[in-house]
Amino acid sequence: MSAPAVGHVVDTHLHLWDLTVSEYAWLPQGSPLHATFTAETALAELTGAGVSTAILVQAEDSEADTEFLLGQASAHDWITGVVGWVRLDHPETARHQLDRWQEHPALRGIRHLVHDDPRDDFLALPAVRRSLGLLAERGLPFDVPDAWPRHLAGLAELAEAVPELTIVVDHLGKPPRGSADYDAWRAALREVAARPNTVGKVSGLQVPGEPLTVAALRPVVDTALECFGPRRLMYGGDWPMTVPFGGYQPTWRVLAELIGELAPDERASVTHGTASAVYGVPEPVR
């Protein structure tokens, strides 16, 4: 079954990793994810889904990973941006890294794997706040992955404390579908979305043991639309994290059906307009 046509699409959340470049210590040994995923393989997946371009997102808190992604962007014109990493808990180091990374036109944002960081108060640390102020000064958005349960509530306070910073809630904070915590996640997301400098990424919604179907994801997408509105939402495929769930195509078909139900201007926001506003990627030529 093919996905419904939804027009020009920018995938705002694609990963590439090479096991000869970095350790990616979080990758589970023996998992289908413990492999190298190349730009060539990614392009075949995108092309099969009718997706035009993509933004690469860091998968490791290291300079090696960011350098690798920027190099991939230089080599492939379908890669329109990179969300990299800097050492946020050391502002002077972050400044030097930003100076270096911003020499590359593909740098579009910064992310830190907060869900893997042992510090529950990471986003509230004074040093981190100073570094996030640097991002705001340079017009770089800050992606926050897998914020539920430790960090999602704190994003509302962060958004108020640094109002010039655009905060991207990757994977909608990772909703606990099928869990008793679902209502608490929804309430926390609503608080975050009440701050105008936040946006949500409809991505990474797979949950082990839970089916990835239109019926299963409709409540999540409806909540995201209610909280953010379509003009503050964007699509992300989260490949190759979807490989254990059937790969790019099954996930895309489900989300494309839900996105396809929106009005044309709302659909355009989710598929490329918000990505252009947040990351500065080019809009399609009309």
Side-chain angles (χ1 to χ4, degrees):
M1 181 182 67
S2 61
V6 294
H8 177 75
V9 179
V10 177
D11 184 336
T12 65
H13 206 95
L14 186 82
H15 300 293
L16 300 178
W17 55 73
D18 186 330
L19 298 183
T20 69
V21 171
S22 284
E23 295 181 3
Y24 310 100
W26 59 270
L27 284 174
Q29 294 283 338
S31 160
L33 295 175
H34 195 265
T36 291
F37 291 92
T38 67
E40 292 73 21
T41 304
L43 180 58
E45 296 285 348
L46 295 172
T47 301
V51 176
S52 310
T53 57
I55 295 171
L56 302 183
V57 177
Q58 58 94 231
E60 182 181 73
D61 294 342
S62 71
E63 291 191 350
D65 182 54
T66 299
E67 289 173 350
F68 167 67
L69 297 180
L70 291 172
Q72 294 298 300
S74 294
H76 304 280
D77 59 7
W78 58 269
I79 299 171
T80 57
V82 168
V83 175
W85 173 85
V86 297
R87 187 178 170 187
L88 293 173
D89 61 356
H90 196 286
E92 195 56 33
T93 300
R95 185 188 301 276
H96 289 309
Q97 290 171 323
L98 286 170
D99 287 343
R100 187 158 86 254
W101 299 152
Q102 286 197 287
E103 293 178 358
H104 197 296
L107 187 74
R108 303 291 183 176
I110 295 297
R111 189 173 89 143
H112 179 84
L113 299 181
V114 294
H115 56 294
D116 287 338
D117 195 296
R119 294 166 287 185
D120 288 343
D121 62 344
F122 178 83
L123 295 176
L125 295 174
V128 171
R129 291 289 173 91
R130 290 196 294 274
S131 295
L132 293 177
L134 294 176
L135 301 190
E137 290 172 9
R138 297 170 185 237
L140 290 169
F142 177 50
D143 276 49
V144 181
D146 295 15
W148 179 265
R150 288 199 300 151
H151 299 289
L152 188 58
L155 290 185
E157 189 275 328
L158 173 61
E160 287 192 351
V162 193
E164 301 85 7
L165 178 68
T166 297
I167 298 171
V168 181
V169 185
D170 288 353
H171 318 322
L172 299 176
K174 210 63 175 175
R177 294 192 297 112
S179 163
D181 293 334
Y182 185 83
D183 287 343
W185 160 81
R186 185 167 54 186
L189 187 72
R190 186 177 294 113
E191 284 297 310
V192 174
R195 280 65 182 178
N197 54 324
T198 62
V199 298
K201 211 178 261 190
V202 184
S203 62
L205 301 177
Q206 57 273 5
V207 174
E210 292 289 324
L212 197 71
T213 64
V214 170
L217 289 195
R218 188 181 299 282
V220 174
V221 174
D222 285 349
T223 294
L225 289 166
E226 171 196 332
C227 291
F228 290 102
R231 287 168 183 80
R232 288 166 58 209
L233 287 175
M234 50 186 153
Y235 161 74
D238 199 29
W239 185 89
M241 295 302 295
T242 54
V243 165
F245 300 87
Y248 198 101
Q249 306 300 328
T251 303
W252 166 243
R253 284 195 293 269
V254 168
L255 290 177
E257 184 167 339
L258 291 165
I259 294 169
E261 295 173 358
L262 300 174
D265 62 330
E266 296 176 336
R267 186 165 63 236
S269 291
V270 177
T271 57
H272 60 81
T274 305
S276 178
V278 172
Y279 293 121
V281 298
E283 283 277 38
V285 177
R286 301 185 185 280

